[in-house]
Amino acid sequence: MAHLTKDNEALTNRVKRIAGQVDAIDRALASSASCASILHLVAATRGAINGLMEEIIDAYLREHVAGPDLSDTARAEGADELLAAIRRYAK
Amino acid sequence: MAHLTKDNEALTNRVKRIAGQVDAIDRALASSASCASILHLVAATRGAINGLMEEIIDAYLREHVAGPDLSDTARAEGADELLAAIRRYAK
Amino acid sequence: MAHLTKDNEALTNRVKRIAGQVDAIDRALASSASCASILHLVAATRGAINGLMEEIIDAYLREHVAGPDLSDTARAEGADELLAAIRRYAK
Amino acid sequence: MAHLTKDNEALTNRVKRIAGQVDAIDRALASSASCASILHLVAATRGAINGLMEEIIDAYLREHVAGPDLSDTARAEGADELLAAIRRYAK
């Protein structure tokens, strides 16, 4: 059972807040809000996605790389997935 | 009329795509998708928000700092707003 | 006369500190310091370069895009240079 | 013996190249080079530090978190160090 699931309420709430922020950008564009406000809405949403990414990297690292009952192969695969996401995340 | 508006179809489509990506993360959590797939969904969404942020910085810089008919005061205010968002964006 | 010059003591001191941090990484590798310490040295140096980049973007934006006595062409060129660096900086 | 050591020639060469880039920024300031060239020198150096950081995260993850012969405690400590550096690296 994946540990990043709907039971992780904090995580799902975080995702829903980000959905709300993206919706706010959409509404700001539709209502021709000031460009400065749109600029800051997007920067704030980017910060929120960064926070979500860090939380998921943390959970993934502990569960799928550092977890006590993993085989060496499973650990290596977990490390590969994480590094691929980190490289993409750093872009 | 702010230039970042609903008439900027490319921009609104970009925001709607990001909304779809955030929704996909929400559904992946709800359906207990694999942690690796959630990791990559979030990394991809972060990349999309980065692209949106760059597009908005570009438009804002050209319109509200480099625009030909601005007063010196308006330019300085535009520069302040942009730098605040860039600092936040770089976090 | 470029305004980002040796007379900008704060800026040159900042660059010299970063040179010192990179030298510290080199020495840590040569002396087989712990991997954790090397990891944190590099992360700290990256933070310092980020700070330098923000300071230079700030100075460049105010001088070469928002500056009061620039021609429209010079402003547009300044905006192009800044956006190219920001895109590279965000990578 | 830590695996991030002087025997890792590729890594030490990478650090020396970055030292050269920082030195080039210093000389550009001292010689009042154009602001645009300084802007791009710093952006390029930041890109190089990002590359170094990714290489070190990769090596650290495989050696100190996913390594086959580690105790559970050592793995958890490795994960903590890595997450601290990633959080700092993302700033």
Side-chain angles (χ1 to χ4, degrees), chain A residues 1-6 11-12 15-16 18-19 22 25-26 29-30 32-36 38-40 42-46 49-50 52-53 56-57 60 64 81-82 84-85 88-91, chain B residues 1-6 11-12 15-16 18-19 22 25-26 29-30 32-36 38-40 42-46 49-50 52-53 56-57 60 64 81-82 84-85 88-91:
Chain A
M1 239 286 280
H3 71 295
L4 292 173
T5 68
K6 60 184 177 304
L11 200 58
T12 44
V15 173
K16 290 194 192 309
I18 292 171
V22 176
I25 299 168
D26 200 32
L29 284 172
S32 301
S34 78
C35 296
I38 294 171
L39 184 66
H40 291 292
V42 176
T45 308
R46 188 196 179 250
I49 285 267
N50 266 352
L52 175 64
M53 189 69 202
I56 289 193
I57 285 176
Y60 191 90
H64 296 283
E81 291 284 356
L82 191 60
R88 193 166 189 184
Y89 164 46
K91 287 286 163 295
Chain B
M1 244 279 283
H3 72 294
L4 292 174
T5 67
K6 60 181 177 305
L11 199 57
T12 43
V15 173
K16 291 196 191 307
I18 292 171
V22 176
I25 299 168
D26 199 32
L29 284 172
S32 301
S34 79
C35 297
I38 293 171
L39 185 65
H40 290 291
V42 176
T45 308
R46 187 194 178 254
I49 287 266
N50 267 352
L52 176 64
M53 188 71 203
I56 288 194
I57 285 176
Y60 191 90
H64 297 283
E81 291 285 355
L82 191 59
R88 194 167 188 181
Y89 162 48
K91 286 286 166 290

Side-chain angles (χ1 to χ4, degrees), chain C residues 1-78:
Chain C
M1 238 286 276
H3 73 293
L4 292 173
T5 68
K6 60 185 177 302
D7 307 329
N8 188 327
E9 214 179 317
L11 200 57
T12 44
N13 289 342
R14 198 166 199 162
V15 173
K16 290 193 193 309
R17 275 198 305 273
I18 292 170
Q21 287 178 289
V22 176
D23 189 50
I25 299 168
D26 199 30
R27 276 181 284 117
L29 284 172
S31 63
S32 300
S34 78
C35 295
S37 61
I38 294 171
L39 184 65
H40 290 291
L41 271 174
V42 176
T45 308
R46 187 194 179 251
I49 285 266
N50 266 351
L52 176 64
M53 189 70 201
E54 279 174 29
E55 190 178 327
I56 290 192
I57 284 176
D58 185 310
Y60 191 91
L61 178 66
R62 294 186 195 285
E63 179 83 16
H64 296 284
V65 186
D69 314 317
L70 294 170
S71 68
D72 291 343
T73 315
R75 271 187 225 292
E77 279 163 14

